[in-house]
Amino acid sequence: MSSAVPAKRIAIIGGGILGVSTAVHLLREGASVILLTERGLASEASGRSLSWLNSAGERSTPYHQLRVAGVDRYRTLFASDPGREWLQFGGGLMWNAAGQGGATEARHTYEKSIGYDSRLLAPEDIAAATPGIDSSAVPENAIFNPGEGWVSLPDLIDFLMEEFHSRGGELVLNAGKASVMVEGGRTAGVETAAGGTYPADAVLVACGAATPAVVEPLGVHIPNGSPVSMLVVTKQVQHDVTAVMNTPRAALRPNPGGTFALDHDWYEERITEHSDGSFTIPEEVVQELADEASKLVAGNPELKPASWKMGYKPIPGDGEPVLGELGQVPGCFVAFTHSGATLGLIAGELLAGEILTGRKHPMLATFRPGRFS
């Protein structure tokens, strides 16, 4: 057990996977936790994430190691009940555009060099590796990463919230904008726009792309590279796809209820942000993404968008996660990362440990917010 005082009170701003995961890990260690959300749970990035569980491609070694540990925690959860429709490990399949087969080969070579399970496939080899794919969509070659998976974050959050409530966590929905209270140079709790105050021994700011704006009044600058993005969920369709697919014109994964989740970035400039914070996109663009995804699925079934959500995809300015305590404001912690799904369980575990014990975890050493100051 940690050396934490059981009554330590922690306030968390943000109802996405990072906030909820950290809350549950804190509760498991005996802390008292209050979780505040601007609107509902999973109402921002966690509600519109492709949530591909991976460490594919090339990135810094510490980031790769953290992501591999992140996937490992999902493996443990998966093993406890492989029948969950919202967490599956069917691998990942990617390819580049025509004429870029060399880039795909180079990626495969790099992945092999770091021990990442990676298989370079000719189009005719794909059916033997993973089902339900139209291999005629593959121009030259593809990489299959058998160890990858996907999670539906809203379902995972519901699952974790059952434990949150059973362990006595306190939830404040629709709290509106929240800010960190500081007294005597130290974090004192959370204040909401509606006038609510919630004293706490420590605060975690885990509100996705809004995180830099929440800590800015504290004199902390975190560069924000978050683009606008969209996730589309299709109507139910018959298919055999089990892999997450990342291709030049569409990214696709299975989704509970026999549906698909789709996203990409080629239409970002077609999304309009309005003064009230809402977003719109022409419906023909949404259908175009669905049509592109249809080309990837065996039999090319007609894919009909059932719903789509838009908003900012959390990405720190330098692309690396921002995790840990603010040097300028003791007791205030942040969790801001592009790979919120992959890191959701491991980041919550490591941050909870730091918040309760004060001991900095070595795996988070390069991700401290102080690197920007």
Side-chain angles (χ1 to χ4, degrees):
M1 279 297 289
S2 71
S3 58
V5 180
K8 198 163 190 182
R9 182 152 179 81
I10 318 298
I12 296 175
I13 306 173
I17 186 53
L18 293 168
V20 170
S21 169
T22 308
V24 169
H25 282 99
L26 286 164
L27 289 163
R28 287 175 185 170
E29 295 297 324
S32 157
V33 177
I34 181 162
L35 180 71
L36 302 107
T37 74
E38 185 176 356
R39 295 198 299 280
L41 293 162
S43 60
E44 281 296 330
S46 289
R48 45 181 166 73
S49 166
L50 192 71
S51 39
W52 165 38
L53 306 175
N54 79 93
S55 188
E58 205 167 331
R59 55 183 53 79
S60 73
T61 299
Y63 194 10
H64 173 67
Q65 290 172 338
L66 189 62
R67 288 174 72 127
V68 168
V71 175
D72 171 75
R73 296 304 188 271
Y74 280 103
R75 285 244 169 235
T76 304
L77 180 60
F78 174 75
S80 70
D81 180 3
R84 291 190 181 109
E85 202 190 9
W86 48 264
L87 173 61
Q88 290 294 315
F89 280 92
L93 187 71
M94 75 77 61
W95 63 83
N96 286 302
Q100 292 177 19
T104 309
E105 279 183 40
R107 176 178 171 130
H108 165 69
T109 301
Y110 176 80
E111 289 177 349
K112 294 289 282 184
S113 78
I114 58 169
Y116 196 71
D117 198 353
S118 181
R119 301 176 193 178
L120 189 66
L121 303 177
E124 60 270 20
D125 302 329
I126 290 171
T130 185
I133 312 282
D134 185 342
S135 61
S136 72
V138 183
E140 288 143 70
N141 52 13
I143 295 171
F144 183 59
N145 301 111
E148 296 177 352
W150 61 270
V151 62
S152 165
L153 288 178
D155 290 290
L156 173 61
I157 286 170
D158 285 347
F159 171 78
L160 290 172
M161 286 304 292
E162 288 179 27
E163 183 176 350
F164 175 92
H165 291 301
S166 74
R167 292 184 180 274
E170 200 180 329
L171 175 64
V172 181
L173 295 168
N174 302 302
K177 299 270 185 220
S179 54
V180 179
M181 301 190 308
V182 179
E183 287 170 17
R186 196 186 156 77
T187 304
V190 172
E191 199 169 11
T192 64
T197 56
Y198 304 89
D201 300 305
V203 171
L204 172 67
V205 180
C207 35
T211 299
V214 174
V215 300
E216 192 79 42
L218 307 174
V220 176
H221 176 63
I222 298 175
N224 197 345
S226 303
V228 175
S229 71
M230 171 178 71
L231 186 80
V232 176
V233 174
T234 69
K235 294 180 178 172
Q236 193 170 11
V237 62
Q238 281 297 119
H239 73 87
D240 299 315
V241 177
T242 58
V244 180
M245 298 174 67
N246 283 276
T247 79
R249 291 286 292 173
L252 163 158
R253 68 158 166 82
N255 193 56
T259 64
F260 283 119
L262 318 173
D263 82 355
H264 214 277
D265 57 12
W266 53 261
Y267 46 73
E268 276 173 15
E269 69 282 355
R270 303 294 304 276
I271 300 174
T272 303
E273 182 174 6
H274 302 281
S275 55
D276 64 354
S278 66
F279 297 86
T280 52
I281 190 170
E283 285 199 27
E284 62 268 21
V285 178
V286 182
Q287 185 59 55
E288 187 180 349
L289 176 64
D291 293 344
E292 292 285 356
S294 167
K295 298 172 187 173
L296 311 176
V297 180
N300 308 129
E302 187 181 16
L303 298 182
K304 284 288 178 194
S307 65
W308 52 96
K309 292 180 178 174
M310 290 164 286
Y312 284 95
K313 177 186 289 189
I315 302 183
D318 65 357
E320 295 260 312
V322 187
L323 301 165
E325 192 171 16
L326 301 177
Q328 303 95 315
V329 193
C332 184
F333 294 75
V334 292
F336 174 41
T337 180
H338 174 35
S339 45
T342 298
L343 299 186
L345 299 178
I346 189 70
E349 177 186 323
L350 302 186
L351 284 168
E354 290 200 348
I355 291 167
L356 289 181
T357 68
R359 289 194 295 272
K360 290 185 164 35
H361 197 285
M363 285 188 83
L364 301 185
T366 62
F367 305 126
R368 306 270 166 219
R371 69 182 187 267
F372 300 116
S373 57

